[in-house]
Amino acid sequence: MRCFLLILLSVVLSCSIVFAEEAKKLEEVVVTATRTERTTEEIPAGVSVVTKEDIKDMRMFGVREALTGIAGVQSETKNGGYDARLIIRGAGLKARYGIREIMVLLDGVPLTDPDGMTNLDRVDTQLVDRVDVVKGPNSTLYGANAAGGVINIITKNPFEEIKSVKIGYGSDNTQLYNLIYGTSFGGKTYITLSGSRRSTDSWRAWNEFSTNQAGLKLGHMFDDKTLLEANISYTKSDFQLPGVLTKPQFDSDITQLTSERWRHSGRYSEVLNTSLKFEKEIGNVKLKPLAYFQSWHHYHPVTAFINDGGANVYGADIQLDIKHKIAGMEGVLTAGITGQIDEASGDKYTYRDVFPSTARYPSTATLEYTLSDEKDALAEKSSDTTTKWGIYLQESIRPSDKWIIDLGVRYDEVGFDISTDTYIKYRYAPPGAPNRYYASTETIRRDKTFDYVSPRAGVVYKLSKIFNLYGNISTGFQTPQSSELSTSSDLNPSVTTNYEAGVKARFDGGHSFDLSLFHAIVDDEIVQIRQPDTSTTYSNAGETRKRGVELSGRAQVLKGLFLGGSYTYSDFKFVKFTEVISGVNRSRDDNRYPYIPMHQYSLYAYYKHPSGFKFKVDTYTWGKYFVDNANSDTYKGYTFLTNALIGYEMKNFDITFDVNNVFDKRYAMEVTKETDLKYRPGAPMSMMGRITYKF
């Protein structure tokens, strides 16, 4: 199949030359990779863009849908399909929930907390217009916790008068509603109001989901070179998180409730997002200051305890772009300073309703399983403050029409002030073994600061009007999280050094071809360790090595008919790593990463007729992978997981009907191993219809 994919992409590339005269070259301008406007072929890094046209035909129940099928990116979910687990070139693997090691932006505003955690609950996916993905470390421009890459989620332009309503309904009482109303005053001031609701009863027990969101965007043009943009949004999200299944359960009925002890995990959130952006151009200088405030609270039942808390995040970014010449060469100097403060506080509680009922603290009885997600006794109080600041500088020069050279450096400092008081602990034990809550007074105080200098160099050579070659040496700096430092105070930050080269081709007609090859060394990578008693610990691996190939192509082989695909080869290994399991040192030297398959590929066909009729078919294959750090067992992955869509666009209407998992394959989104294999089932076949009206 891998050979077939390579042959297909070669045919697609050849066909693109035949149809080169049918349309102009597609020039996708992005800002994310370099903080200045550039087309994708002029960026010395692996970059992917999910366009407005791509997104409008997606359900967009979650951001992960837009990222599925991108070479080098694993965009999946462990929790029923309504959240995201994102991994870029192996970074993000350790995340138990949320997103780690990847910097996520919303319209250029960081969603990633100073300690590196991102939660996408706050993103109104119905407003997403495009997504930029920069693969590989980019700490030089975005600081700590961008070791895997950067994702910028770009929503509707506030300076457009968009007026639309969308309604969708599908399997398992899945519902979707969205309203956008934009208007302007005097051609200078623009206001956009939006509201969305997404909900589903879900195909699986304990997996209901609903979210209500409202937003306001205000944009004002003082003149052609001076802009002001203000945003405010509110999200209320309720999400039940289903647990894992045993092999017999997975084989018999994937919709059933987990038999694990913690059967009522969830995330119930309220989030307020605000930001203020200003842009002023004076001659050859462009000033781009940004300020933002985010406040969130969630009730989050997880393993053993229920988290009930939140945080306020304050941030600012002041960027300056200066166009100039050096020895007759055109250049742009980008400089800036950024800062973030995350003030978090929260409590942990025991579960109130458990079986047997006498298992509740302070009883010594064994706790068999939970009966609800209601909280009981206060177990812990915490108050954490994380600060992050950095200063960056990048010089981009063009020695000639054929060359672009980027040289950059950044200094970052991340500080942790952690205070935790514990009153009740939980004695972890494997299923069937004695376990219970017990009284234990413990005080944890951590005051740690990490800093790092992140250099980067990149070059682009324009081989012809079609082909560009690029190379870069980049670095990434990843700190431990507050929760990890609370339990493992000796954790060190991980540092990634990445060497990358590739070729990008852009043909007339919108055809494209991208090939990236990289070799990365990670020192002190922070690795998740699953213990036999079901608890999780973290440790630094001495050294890990990542080698990969990413290939993607797209072409219009006939007028209106596009074929495309991607292939990812991932050879990720622990070079030096001693895993401590129940106090015993286990060497994992030369073992492969769990969960990451060596081979992953996708194919799609999309057709749109001038009359408005359209269809799309896409299919995904995920190769086999190891299920633990010990490489003790493998999961076969899945092949040709196929989705299909048919639709019609006419005047102001856009009507679509799609089917996911057309062949109703039974597959697992993730398989792990503690003492036995644990399966997180993927979604069965589902259908959904949507209608959008623009007025």
Side-chain angles (χ1 to χ4, degrees), residues 93-234:
L93 178 62
K94 68 169 182 154
R96 286 185 295 174
Y97 64 91
I99 299 167
R100 312 294 201 275
E101 301 177 89
I102 299 166
M103 177 64 66
V104 182
L105 312 171
L106 180 64
D107 294 320
V109 179
L111 294 182
T112 302
D113 294 338
D115 76 342
M117 189 273 197
T118 307
N119 193 309
L120 294 179
D121 292 356
R122 67 193 74 180
V123 178
D124 187 344
T125 56
Q126 300 308 302
L127 299 181
V128 177
D129 228 20
R130 62 179 275 161
V131 182
D132 295 344
V133 181
V134 184
K135 293 170 278 189
N138 204 325
S139 288
T140 304
L141 289 178
Y142 291 98
N145 307 318
V150 181
I151 294 175
N152 191 9
I153 303 164
I154 301 166
T155 61
K156 307 292 185 185
N157 189 340
F159 295 98
E160 293 182 10
E161 296 185 48
I162 303 171
K163 300 177 178 68
S164 68
V165 61
K166 180 190 290 186
I167 299 174
Y169 186 80
S171 304
D172 305 305
N173 194 31
T174 300
Q175 301 179 39
L176 169 63
Y177 307 95
N178 173 249
L179 174 66
I180 303 173
Y181 183 83
T183 189
S184 66
F185 303 93
K188 293 283 188 180
T189 302
Y190 292 77
I191 295 178
T192 302
L193 296 169
S194 63
S196 296
R197 175 172 171 79
R198 293 169 284 151
S199 66
T200 182
D201 292 343
S202 186
W203 54 273
R204 190 167 175 211
W206 194 260
N207 197 198
E208 293 183 6
F209 164 78
S210 69
T211 184
N212 296 297
Q213 296 172 292
L216 169 66
K217 285 189 174 185
L218 173 66
H220 182 74
M221 294 183 178
F222 295 94
D223 54 51
D224 292 342
K225 297 183 178 181
T226 309
L227 305 175
L228 177 69
E229 182 183 335
N231 297 276
I232 183 170
S233 65
Y234 170 78

Side-chain angles (χ1 to χ4, degrees), residues 354-368 435-437:
V354 297
F355 180 83
S357 59
T358 55
R360 191 185 323 157
Y361 172 83
S363 170
T364 58
T366 293
L367 190 159
E368 296 294 338
N435 63 90
R436 63 182 179 88
Y437 293 116

